[in-house]
Amino acid sequence: MQYIPLIPLSELPENTHKSVKNGNRTIALFHYEGIISALDHACIHKGGDLGEGFIQILDDREHYVACPWHGWQYNLKTGKAPHDYKDRQALYDVILQNGMICVSEKPVTDAYRAEHESDPLADLRSLNYQTTATSLNVLGISTTNMNSDLPRPSTSETALQNALDIAVSKFGAQTKMIKLRELNFRHCEGYYSRHEKACTWPCSISEMDANDGMNEIYRSIVLWADAVILATPIRWGNASSLYYKMAERLNTVQNQITINDKVLIKNKVVSFIITGGQDNVQGVAGQLNSFFADLGFTFPPFNYLGWSRGWIAEDMENNYTRFFKNRYVKRSVIDLVTNTVKLVQQIKQMDVSHLQAPKPKISEAGSLSE
Ligand code: FES
């Protein structure tokens, strides 16, 4: 077997690891428990650099490297994934010659990515759209938070339910209501900051946990909805914290434009219901509009219903009653739904094959030297 000298042993002290480039190959070297081992540096998941990974000792008392992107683990001595997983990373043989760490020219064990019998994210992966030329699927997303055991009246959520009811009774729509507080979903864990390709579609958190609640949002927004009506209370002049938690996880949708020049949202319309005892309806609308514009949504004219009783309206026990007695509110819910549905019906006929996103793309990013 041919061996290639990589680096002097002195450059890899005990309890360290790093990736070393040799020609067009990069090898991750590890020096733990007095043993030097070598794995292919590119994680078999999405290519994270194992030379920058984290060393962990698992239940079997063995040392593993956890990929810095999403945490896939590989045994340092065998390249195998832990537990019963069949995946493994390519492993090289290592010898020391004249103080140099040398690795075999070829792996002694090839990388292997196990096929899983069923892929719970197959519909998302293959973008199995459920919208049709004639569908009218209206998705309501309520972002208000409350204790389900102690429910309270919510102006935004009740108005949203009214809007969905109108979409059914007036336009024959199919509707679906998602209450964010009922979904158990993880925060965005910021893998994009590691590397742009670490933010994947479907979301890497969804891949780690097919039961993550955001999967219902991805399916509903991307695959099912023709129109989205999102309702939020005003909290300290902003949308609800649950809204922002969801928006951060929608990075995966927006990043497909940045990374792969791929627009997932086409011919979809969005409108908003923004209500609060405090003010700043327009500020919240501005934030919502700018985010959903970046996803690729289209807006009907006058695409939000706003309600605020102002800075000094602290008699919150009267808020709900006043809201629903108000003639403006009653009319505006109908107007909002009508504008939304009419636009859906129009843009469904549009050819969007030419659609371009005037957004920064990774292929246009400057190099470090620029
Ligand atoms: S790239 Fe390594 S775990 Fe995803």
Side-chain angles (χ1 to χ4, degrees):
M1 191 172 348
Q2 293 271 39
Y3 284 84
I4 301 163
L6 285 185
I7 54 170
L9 176 59
S10 58
E11 291 183 17
L12 191 72
E14 177 88 27
N15 295 327
T16 65
H17 58 286
K18 66 176 170 186
S19 284
V20 178
K21 201 161 168 41
N22 181 278
N24 50 14
R25 271 188 328 180
T26 304
I27 308 284
L29 293 175
F30 303 87
H31 189 171
Y32 290 87
E33 298 180 288
I35 297 168
I36 296 173
S37 56
L39 302 175
D40 195 291
H41 88 115
C43 174
I44 61 171
H45 178 220
K46 298 286 179 188
D49 182 2
L50 299 182
E52 293 183 2
F54 307 101
I55 302 302
Q56 299 172 335
I57 300 173
L58 301 190
D59 297 346
D60 58 4
R61 321 285 304 163
E62 292 280 307
H63 282 63
Y64 289 78
V65 58
C67 175
W69 285 11
H70 316 107
W72 283 31
Q73 298 161 312
Y74 306 97
N75 185 298
L76 297 190
K77 288 182 285 196
T78 65
K80 289 184 182 160
H83 314 303
D84 292 333
Y85 296 119
K86 300 281 181 272
D87 309 87
R88 67 172 183 256
Q89 179 60 297
L91 177 76
Y92 293 84
D93 196 31
V94 178
I95 58 171
L96 286 174
Q97 264 180 352
N98 304 324
M100 291 291 289
I101 299 172
C102 306
V103 298
S104 54
E105 193 182 19
K106 293 191 176 132
V108 286
T109 316
D110 286 329
Y112 175 70
R113 181 142 177 195
E115 290 292 330
H116 297 282
E117 273 175 13
S118 63
D119 177 2
L121 305 178
D123 57 336
L124 292 169
R125 222 179 286 288
S126 57
L127 286 174
N128 204 355
Y129 288 105
Q130 293 159 33
T131 48
T132 67
T134 55
S135 60
L136 178 56
N137 298 339
V138 181
L139 171 66
I141 302 179
S142 172
T143 69
T144 192
N145 215 344
M146 69 178 81
N147 181 341
S148 307
D149 295 332
L150 299 170
R152 57 169 177 76
S154 159
T155 50
S156 62
E157 188 166 294
T158 310
L160 177 59
Q161 187 58 60
N162 290 352
L164 296 183
D165 292 345
I166 290 163
V168 173
S169 62
K170 195 166 172 207
F171 298 101
Q174 300 290 316
T175 61
K176 187 194 285 192
M177 167 78 106
I178 293 180
K179 299 174 183 174
L180 282 191
R181 66 180 176 280
E182 294 177 353
L183 297 182
N184 190 5
F185 64 101
R186 278 159 65 172
H187 291 274
C188 173
E189 293 166 13
Y191 299 115
Y192 189 76
S193 309
R194 277 264 173 205
H195 193 284
E196 60 275 3
K197 291 201 183 311
C199 183
T200 60
W201 173 261
C203 175
S204 46
I205 294 174
S206 305
E207 290 193 323
M208 291 180 220
D209 181 2
N211 293 321
D212 183 89
M214 270 305 289
N215 297 341
E216 186 177 344
I217 294 283
Y218 296 138
R219 288 195 169 92
S220 300
I221 290 184
V222 177
L223 303 182
W224 183 80
D226 292 299
V228 176
I229 304 177
L230 183 140
T232 182
I234 302 171
R235 299 267 164 91
W236 289 104
N238 288 295
S240 82
S241 58
L242 274 182
Y243 162 74
Y244 289 107
K245 185 178 174 189
M246 176 191 76
E248 287 188 13
R249 286 289 303 278
L250 288 169
N251 285 345
T252 179
V253 176
Q254 201 283 328
N255 275 343
Q256 287 305 298
I257 300 169
T258 312
I259 300 165
N260 295 324
D261 206 1
K262 199 165 167 189
V263 179
L264 304 190
I265 304 285
K266 291 177 182 169
N267 288 358
K268 293 182 192 282
V269 174
V270 69
S271 298
F272 306 107
I273 294 170
I274 303 162
T275 69
Q278 296 172 333
D279 49 16
N280 204 24
V281 170
Q282 287 166 319
V284 174
Q287 289 194 30
L288 298 174
N289 273 326
S290 69
F291 179 69
F292 277 82
D294 270 7
L295 294 181
F297 276 86
T298 307
F299 305 131
F302 312 107
N303 76 326
Y304 65 90
L305 180 170
W307 160 271
S308 161
R309 291 177 55 221
W311 186 244
I312 60 166
E314 292 295 341
D315 55 331
M316 294 304 290
E317 68 278 17
N318 296 321
N319 202 36
Y320 188 83
T321 313
R322 284 179 182 247
F323 181 76
F324 286 104
K325 274 193 174 162
N326 191 283
R327 282 189 296 167
Y328 150 74
V329 170
K330 285 196 185 105
R331 174 184 57 78
S332 290
V333 173
I334 299 169
D335 292 346
L336 189 83
V337 173
T338 304
N339 288 354
T340 302
V341 169
K342 292 289 181 196
L343 185 63
V344 168
Q345 290 167 337
Q346 285 171 33
I347 67 168
K348 268 181 169 290
Q349 313 308 321
M350 278 171 46
D351 173 13
V352 289
S353 53
H354 64 285
L355 190 69
Q356 300 293 327
K359 295 286 159 195
K361 294 170 190 163
I362 198 67
S363 55
E364 301 159 337
S367 68
L368 283 178
S369 57
E370 283 179 48

